[in-house]
Amino acid sequence: MKRKTDRNRRPLEFNIGDKMLLKFTTQIWKKINSKMHHRGMITKYDNPFEVVKKVGESLDDEKKRFGELLGSAVLVFILDTIVISTLESDVKMPNLIMSILIAITLTILILAVFPVSGGHISPVISFSSALVGLISMTQAIIYITTQCLGAILSALALKAVVSSTIEQRFSLGGCTITAY
């Protein structure tokens, strides 16, 4: 029963120029409408109101951008830290430990960022969501830009934290090609 009602439910997002009915309680209607001609039933719906402007849209977009920036920054920092610390330690099965830790990290980050921005965190996810039609292409470009910025900031923070020997061993400054 609930699935059927959810399927037919329209999201509560209106555009400028849309008309909508507002349902008032009796107390609110009495405060709005001071012309009380009768003591009987009070109409709960008034004439359709037109949406004049959207309020708070930019704040929501800023939250989404910041969520993606912070999510990708934390993801890159933690993944790099996991890889470096696992390979630097003497562990018999580093790939198993890395995969378990990365899975736990991804799960926590997606659960944390999902309510804010959809939990994309990765430019690949944002681009494929735009191709499928879950988000607009402009929103995907904005997400991808903030995710790349978050990854760059995270890489710079990691470079500032680790020693120079680890930085050179794992080529944290960028891509390197070594010839043997």
Side-chain angles (χ1 to χ4, degrees):
M1 184 80 164
K2 183 174 177 347
R3 281 184 278 163
K4 192 172 187 180
T5 57
D6 285 345
R7 191 175 339 133
N8 297 330
R9 185 168 291 164
R10 197 176 126 210
L12 288 176
E13 193 167 313
F14 301 101
N15 296 323
I16 296 173
D18 287 351
K19 296 198 179 218
M20 55 186 257
L21 289 173
L22 294 177
K23 185 175 183 180
F24 297 109
T25 61
T26 310
Q27 292 83 12
I28 294 174
W29 182 253
K30 285 179 184 177
K31 289 178 183 177
I32 293 174
N33 191 358
S34 61
K35 302 177 244 167
M36 295 296 294
H37 296 293
H38 56 81
R39 291 189 160 281
M41 299 282 291
I42 297 175
T43 58
K44 297 211 178 210
Y45 292 99
D46 198 14
N47 293 332
F49 290 99
E50 185 174 342
V51 177
V52 179
K53 71 175 187 175
K54 286 188 172 185
V55 180
E57 182 180 353
S58 62
L59 181 63
D60 289 340
D61 287 345
E62 293 298 321
K63 281 183 184 178
K64 290 177 183 180
R65 290 179 195 141
F66 185 71
E68 290 296 323
L69 178 106
L70 188 64
S72 64
V74 169
L75 177 70
V76 168
F77 189 84
I78 290 178
L79 290 185
D80 288 348
T81 307
I82 288 171
V83 169
I84 290 170
S85 62
T86 306
L87 293 178
E88 284 291 311
S89 64
D90 293 330
V91 180
K92 292 183 180 180
M93 294 185 287
N95 292 339
L96 178 65
I97 292 174
M98 281 192 288
S99 61
I100 291 171
L101 290 175
I102 289 170
I104 291 170
T105 303
L106 275 173
T107 304
I108 291 170
L109 278 175
I110 289 173
L111 287 174
V113 177
F114 182 78
V116 178
S117 64
H120 297 199
I121 298 177
S122 170
V124 174
I125 304 296
S126 299
F127 183 67
S128 57
S129 296
L131 289 180
V132 172
L134 295 175
I135 60 174
S136 67
M137 193 56 83
T138 55
Q139 193 174 16
I141 291 170
I142 292 170
Y143 279 1
I144 290 169
T145 306
T146 56
Q147 290 161 353
C148 290
L149 181 66
I152 291 169
L153 292 175
S154 173
L156 290 174
L158 185 68
K159 189 175 177 181
V161 171
V162 297
S163 66
S164 62
T165 57
I166 292 176
E167 179 184 334
Q168 289 175 353
R169 181 173 176 204
F170 291 98
S171 65
L172 294 180
C175 298
T176 57
I177 298 174
T178 55
Y180 291 99

